Amino acid sequence: MDTCITVWQWPQEERWYDEGVRQSLGLISEAGFTHINWNPDSGNSYMLSDAEIAFTADMVRASGLKVKSVHGSNGRNPISEVRWRKDRRVGMETRRDILSPHEWQRKSGVELVKNRVALASAFGSPDIVMHIDITDEVFRSTEAGAAFFAPLWTSLEELQPYCLEEKVRIAVETLFCASASNFLQLYDRLFARFPAEFIGLCLDTGHWEMIAPGSWSVMEQFGDRLITTHINDNFGATDDHLLPFDGRIDWESVTRAIAATNYESPLNLETHIDRYSMPEGAFYQRAHKVAVRLEEQISAYRAMPRGVRKAGQGRGVL
């Protein structure tokens, strides 16, 4: 059975990028996982060199693990780029931004996203995950919407031919920086404008629980565009990224919703090791049992007649 978990970076460790990540990959493989979600450098504006991309792809390939997904850059990320000499303060700069009205800055953001697409291509990963950070203000007026969407559409139109050439799709993650209804509006516009072979949905279960508790409306409306997952749990107040069954999410309803789509397993556990007071290897061992439980739940629902599955019958399979 295929199973997947996220590999993280731990920059406090010396040589985390090669020795540290290589150790994590070994422990993940030993626990029984077959796939990883690549998370190092996620969401920031670091540009990977060709040598880094080649090294990283070779390192993962040597581990025997496959890459299910890459958490890419968001194309607009502030990063601690400058540490002032006198007082050691950190200067935060956003030099790359796919949503910028300044053309040089917007194009720099596009280059950043392409950099992660190149990494995913080297991995043989079918997608990269990207945040589109809307706020509720975007939908309060025609002017605010136009200011937000004009550079976004231009940036995505520039990315589309490159993604299609590299056979890497963009998966837009469910976030919690706006209301659920406004995220549904965003996905409606995105998926109406761009084809499924270019862009789709990343379901982060913890994020969606925070803005739409107990509801999987995003799956009901856009399950046909689901291409990757960030599976994690919480108690509805903070973005805990716990292992499933350690929070309050109803995993029976989640797996039933996913089973009703054409999503290609495995699910990806995006869960933080540092939430648990246990050795890294023990964490992966426990996480693998959870991953198997969820995959079995998906399989059980898919084995049911579609009418029964869609009606929400057949409960208690967990």
Side-chain angles (χ1 to χ4, degrees):
M1 176 181 292
D2 287 343
T3 50
C4 179
I5 196 168
T6 298
V7 61
W8 302 89
Q9 64 190 49
W10 305 107
Q12 70 272 18
E13 297 181 10
E14 187 175 0
R15 300 202 64 83
W16 65 266
Y17 193 85
D18 49 10
E19 295 172 8
V21 171
R22 187 183 290 112
Q23 177 177 325
S24 293
L25 293 172
L27 293 172
I28 289 169
S29 179
E30 288 175 13
F33 286 97
T34 58
H35 292 67
I36 58 165
N37 166 47
W38 182 262
N39 195 270
D41 297 312
S42 65
N44 69 34
S45 57
Y46 182 77
M47 292 286 280
L48 294 155
S49 69
D50 291 345
E52 286 175 290
I53 289 174
F55 164 78
T56 305
D58 287 344
M59 177 174 62
V60 173
R61 196 173 296 114
S63 74
L65 294 163
K66 297 178 182 179
V67 180
K68 169 68 174 172
S69 185
V70 172
H71 198 317
S73 161
N74 304 332
R76 59 173 320 219
N77 311 96
I79 184 174
S80 305
E81 293 182 347
V82 179
R83 187 178 291 278
W84 307 111
R85 289 186 178 182
K86 290 184 179 180
D87 56 14
R88 308 299 289 168
R89 287 186 302 112
V90 173
M92 302 294 287
E93 303 182 17
T94 305
R95 298 184 184 180
R96 304 182 178 101
D97 183 355
I98 60 170
L99 299 176
S100 175
H102 304 287
E103 190 66 359
W104 72 267
Q105 194 173 27
R106 187 194 63 74
K107 284 184 174 293
S108 297
V110 170
E111 290 179 14
L112 177 59
V113 177
K114 284 184 175 180
N115 183 255
R116 299 304 195 270
V117 172
L119 176 65
S121 179
F123 279 145
S125 169
D127 63 74
I128 64 164
V129 173
M130 188 169 75
H131 293 186
I132 297 181
D133 298 311
I134 65 166
T135 66
D136 292 326
E137 294 301 316
V138 169
F139 297 98
R140 292 199 194 280
S141 70
T142 302
E143 294 75 19
F148 178 87
F149 283 104
L152 175 63
W153 295 153
T154 303
S155 296
L156 291 176
E157 286 162 3
E158 291 178 3
L159 284 164
Q160 184 174 349
Y162 183 70
C163 288
L164 293 176
E165 179 183 352
E166 296 297 323
K167 296 181 174 58
V168 175
R169 292 189 287 177
I170 290 176
V172 180
E173 183 173 348
T174 56
L175 304 175
F176 55 94
C177 48
S179 68
S181 61
N182 281 335
F183 270 109
L184 294 175
Q185 284 196 68
L186 170 67
Y187 305 140
D188 189 49
R189 295 189 188 189
L190 274 174
F191 301 152
R193 190 178 184 99
F194 296 102
E197 58 264 31
F198 166 52
I199 200 162
L201 182 71
C202 169
L203 172 67
D204 186 304
T205 53
H207 293 171
W208 196 255
E209 173 68 13
M210 292 177 69
I211 61 173
S215 167
W216 301 104
S217 54
V218 66
M219 297 298 295
E220 294 166 6
Q221 294 189 42
F222 302 110
D224 62 327
R225 298 297 285 260
L226 181 66
I227 56 178
T228 197
T229 55
H230 287 175
I231 302 297
N232 59 89
D233 211 338
N234 60 45
F235 289 97
T238 56
D239 190 24
D240 300 311
H241 280 258
L242 301 172
L243 285 169
F245 310 107
D246 285 353
R248 75 175 193 183
I249 290 178
D250 177 5
W251 291 99
E252 188 173 350
S253 65
V254 175
T255 52
R256 186 169 61 247
I258 294 173
T261 73
N262 293 322
Y263 178 75
E264 296 182 9
S265 293
L267 303 173
N268 163 52
L269 298 187
E270 195 193 40
T271 48
H272 288 293
I273 305 169
D274 58 359
R275 304 296 195 267
Y276 296 84
S277 299
M278 62 177 66
E280 187 178 359
F283 172 80
Y284 293 133
Q285 295 284 342
R286 182 180 173 207
H288 186 257
K289 294 177 181 177
V290 173
V292 169
R293 182 178 176 183
L294 291 175
E295 296 295 344
E296 289 177 344
Q297 177 71 10
I298 295 276
S299 297
Y301 276 122
R302 284 181 169 167
M304 295 177 182
R306 178 171 290 274
V308 174
R309 188 196 325 161
K310 197 168 184 180
Q313 299 173 21
R315 296 179 63 85
V317 182
L318 281 171

